[in-house]
Amino acid sequence: MNAREVGLGVVLITLEEETLPMAKRLDFKMTNNMVEYKACLFVIEVVVVAGAKHLMVYKDSMLVIQQALEEWKVNEERLRPYVNYLKTLVWNFSKCSFVHLPQDENQMADALATLLSMWVNLSWLLMKPLMIMKLGAPCYQGDHTMQVQIGLEEKPWFYDLKKFIESREYPEEATVKERYALRIQARNYISHEEVLYRRMVSGVQLRCVTKAEAQVMMEKMHKGVCGPHMHNISLNRKIMRQGYYWLIMEKDCIALMRRCRECQLYSDLSLVFPIELHNLMSP
């Protein structure tokens, strides 16, 4: 049986070669064969509503194709209602054929199914169109450079600090106390080749990163490829061993672990009592 939130992905191609990707999510448990039938029935129902009379179904499931062609017997009782409903829908077409498609040629439908099964808030997904682009060349070529900005921070958290270290300039709105605090804080930082580093007590210099860079770094180290889903303290220390630093590193690591679904489901339960236990001896 499959777990909940199974995605179905289909791609409808018209005679004018217009491509219409569609997807549906099932919030109930089903077997793999039942899911394959649901995907096949989903696209046939859409074509029936559209009023088409000729249909060619390409499916990467050999079981569905052979049973639809009545070349294989239906041994699983749970699949009989789907097979009967499929035969009923086929009567709406003057010509309907079923062709087996290799799995490596069905990547678009698989990608839609995976996306829909992993997306939590479907209402937010429907509010904005899904844009897929392909670049055939790098963003720079020759003497011409194209600059692409994707939600980058206007000013990082160390902007004023770096500016003071490099040019001894204070922020215009800074008060006397804020300027004094900036001078004290600047003692622990150095700037080298336009990169700001944090000087630790041990003598190690850690590169200061922005909020966006820190978020990507935590995601990859926590639950990326071979991610161990480590504890917040271990994640904090691992990032520092890699040579990176930002102000609220420990706080962000704690927040990441708390919103991680896998950590909340499969982490070890703490069975330690909140107070120290004492042995009671009878008088």
Side-chain angles (χ1 to χ4, degrees):
M1 298 292 289
N2 283 316
R4 290 180 177 270
E5 300 179 357
V6 178
L8 305 179
V10 297
V11 180
L12 183 62
I13 303 177
T14 63
L15 295 178
E16 292 78 14
E17 296 184 355
E18 295 182 359
T19 304
L20 178 62
M22 296 177 295
K24 178 188 291 187
R25 190 169 71 180
L26 308 178
D27 291 334
F28 49 89
K29 294 184 178 181
M30 301 184 67
T31 63
N32 293 333
N33 294 332
M34 294 168 67
V35 173
E36 295 292 342
Y37 265 104
K38 289 291 293 185
C40 184
L41 295 173
F42 172 46
V43 67
I44 296 178
E45 289 174 346
V46 173
V47 177
V48 170
V49 174
K53 295 300 180 182
H54 298 272
L55 176 64
M56 183 173 292
V57 180
Y58 292 90
K59 196 82 174 85
D60 57 1
S61 176
M62 183 65 71
L63 176 68
V64 176
I65 296 299
Q66 295 299 328
Q67 290 182 351
L69 296 175
E70 298 183 355
E71 296 183 1
W72 287 7
K73 295 182 179 180
V74 183
N75 297 325
E76 191 174 354
E77 292 296 331
R78 290 179 292 187
L79 297 180
R80 292 189 182 276
Y82 295 93
V83 177
N84 296 333
Y85 184 50
L86 177 63
K87 294 179 180 179
T88 304
L89 293 177
V90 169
W91 283 104
N92 294 279
F93 303 96
S94 58
K95 182 179 180 181
C96 182
S97 58
F98 295 87
V99 181
H100 179 259
L101 184 69
Q103 190 173 6
D104 55 353
E105 298 180 10
N106 197 28
Q107 297 179 356
M108 184 61 183
D110 294 339
L112 289 173
T114 303
L115 173 65
L116 205 61
S117 62
M118 297 177 60
W119 211 283
V120 179
N121 191 355
L122 292 180
S123 60
W124 185 89
L125 176 63
L126 298 176
M127 290 173 61
K128 298 182 179 180
L130 177 62
M131 300 179 62
I132 301 176
M133 296 181 294
K134 179 181 179 181
L135 295 178
C139 60
Y140 60 90
Q141 188 172 1
D143 297 332
H144 303 281
T145 304
M146 296 184 298
Q147 298 181 355
V148 182
Q149 298 181 355
I150 308 178
L152 298 179
E153 297 174 317
E154 295 181 359
K155 292 183 179 180
W157 61 270
F158 52 83
Y159 175 80
D160 295 334
L161 188 61
K162 181 180 177 183
K163 186 177 180 180
F164 173 77
I165 295 176
E166 294 178 349
S167 59
R168 294 297 173 179
E169 296 181 6
Y170 295 98
E172 297 180 357
E173 66 280 1
T175 61
V176 178
K177 293 184 178 180
E178 291 175 347
R179 293 186 178 185
Y180 175 76
L182 185 61
R183 292 195 301 269
I184 297 298
Q185 189 179 9
R187 299 176 182 177
N188 299 323
Y189 294 86
I190 59 174
S191 179
H192 178 67
E193 296 182 356
E194 298 184 355
V195 179
L196 190 66
Y197 293 89
R198 163 77 176 185
R199 186 188 294 112
M200 307 302 293
V201 179
S202 59
V204 180
Q205 298 175 1
L206 305 180
R207 180 179 179 272
C208 298
V209 296
T210 62
K211 182 178 179 181
E213 294 173 341
Q215 186 64 33
V216 175
M217 192 181 306
M218 288 190 302
E219 293 284 346
K220 289 185 177 181
M221 291 188 181
H222 182 69
K223 54 182 179 181
V225 179
C226 300
H229 289 267
M230 61 184 64
H231 193 263
N232 55 338
I233 300 178
S234 301
L235 180 61
N236 187 6
R237 293 177 179 175
K238 182 177 181 180
I239 294 175
M240 296 182 67
R241 286 196 300 268
Q242 297 296 326
Y244 300 99
Y245 174 82
W246 67 94
L247 280 180
I248 54 174
M249 181 188 303
E250 185 175 354
K251 179 180 178 181
D252 290 344
C253 292
I254 295 175
L256 175 65
M257 188 192 68
R258 288 180 177 178
R259 69 172 179 266
C260 179
R261 184 172 181 270
E262 289 79 5
C263 290
Q264 301 300 321
L265 290 177
Y266 305 110
S267 61
D268 296 333
L269 297 178
S270 179
L271 302 180
V272 181
F273 288 92
I275 59 176
E276 185 179 359
L277 298 180
H278 300 277
N279 294 329
L280 298 179
M281 300 181 61
S282 59

